[in-house]
Amino acid sequence: MTTLPGLLVSVEGGDGCGKSTQTELLRDALVARGLPVGPAGAPGMVVREPGGTEAGERIRDLLLHGPDGLTPWVEALLYAAARTQLVAEVVAPALAAGRVLVLDRFLDSSLAYQGYARGLGIDAVLGLNEPGLQGILPDATFVLDVDPEVGLARAGGAPDRIERDGADFQRRVREGFRELAARYPGRVRLVDGERPPPVIAAEIGAAVLRLLEARRV
Ligand code: TYD
């Protein structure tokens, strides 16, 4: 939760969990209500991680298509670096201006993938990210919980560097997100991601509208 006037919502989950569909449906629902969604310079945009800035997109390329053999700490540092730039350039200014930001992945991906699944430790990876967060945490985080086999099959196409780690790794990622939901029950909510997309979207949309009413963004 941030003390800035805007609202920050992140959507998370394992690979192929349906985040892209859900972030777009949420964005559409919020835009339809006339809310100031996305960065001021790119209204209506869903912000994706890693990326969302020029430096972040280059770091993304290194992370997803770069050399094999990046150590887990290098991976964690690169994700944190991309995020630090995103917070400074995009997230903090948008929230300060009272805008509603929908993020396709944020801090919790690093906690689940690098902290839990890669075994670096959730607290250690949180500590690594904290200096770049400027005290900003999502107001709500929705984790689309799907069977990893279903997710990997859905992801399709040529697998990126992370997807090449396979189903065992994705199972640990899922456990990691479940651990985060238990740790941060007020912020991180598990959503059954194996239902039809409109049903999932209705659940997330209703929860975000309740938050907006409470915050009166
Ligand atoms: P994304 O583009 O969302 O891929 P997908 O659409 O397949 O979910 O994310 C890219 C990959 O980066 C994905 O495998 C998850 C991983 N990732 C991390 O390991 N740590 C992080 O902090 C983030 C943001 C992503």
Side-chain angles (χ1 to χ4, degrees):
M1 164 112 160
T2 151
T3 51
L4 296 170
L7 194 89
L8 183 60
V9 176
S10 58
V11 181
E12 299 274 7
D15 291 83
C17 66
K19 278 179 301 90
S20 307
T21 304
Q22 290 304 324
T23 49
E24 283 165 19
L25 290 172
L26 177 60
R27 182 266 320 273
D28 293 348
L30 297 171
V31 167
R33 290 188 167 248
L35 289 156
V37 181
M45 191 176 85
V46 171
V47 177
R48 75 167 180 174
E49 271 218 4
T53 65
E54 194 183 336
E57 291 294 335
R58 290 202 202 176
I59 296 172
R60 177 186 177 91
D61 193 46
L62 187 57
L63 278 161
L64 299 185
H65 310 293
D68 284 338
L70 290 183
T71 78
W73 275 112
V74 170
E75 198 178 275
L77 285 158
L78 287 172
Y79 281 114
R83 181 166 304 121
T84 299
Q85 191 70 30
L86 183 74
V87 169
E89 263 186 49
V90 178
V91 176
L95 294 180
R99 303 189 64 86
V100 179
L101 277 191
V102 179
L103 295 188
D104 183 331
R105 299 195 184 281
F106 193 53
L107 172 69
D108 299 287
S109 278
S110 281
L111 302 183
Y113 280 78
Q114 283 68 50
Y116 190 94
R118 292 264 191 250
L120 297 178
I122 289 175
D123 289 319
V125 173
L126 179 61
L128 188 67
N129 278 270
E130 257 163 0
L133 290 173
Q134 302 185 23
I136 295 170
L137 279 179
D139 296 279
T141 297
F142 298 94
V143 174
L144 301 176
D145 188 55
V146 301
D147 184 317
E149 309 279 354
V150 174
L152 281 178
R154 264 196 211 160
D160 62 35
R161 205 179 55 81
I162 304 276
E163 285 164 359
R164 285 201 293 274
D165 285 323
D168 277 347
F169 182 71
Q170 290 296 325
R171 264 188 281 283
R172 291 202 298 280
V173 169
R174 185 187 206 185
E175 278 172 26
F177 279 122
R178 289 179 166 185
E179 168 80 23
L180 294 173
R183 245 189 205 229
Y184 306 113
R187 175 174 70 82
V188 180
R189 305 164 202 206
L190 286 184
V191 174
D192 174 357
E194 291 185 22
R195 295 168 299 164
V199 175
I200 301 171
E203 180 178 325
I204 295 178
V208 172
L209 289 179
R210 277 198 299 276
L211 262 179
L212 282 163
E213 270 159 32
R215 296 276 303 275
R216 288 204 200 86
V217 168

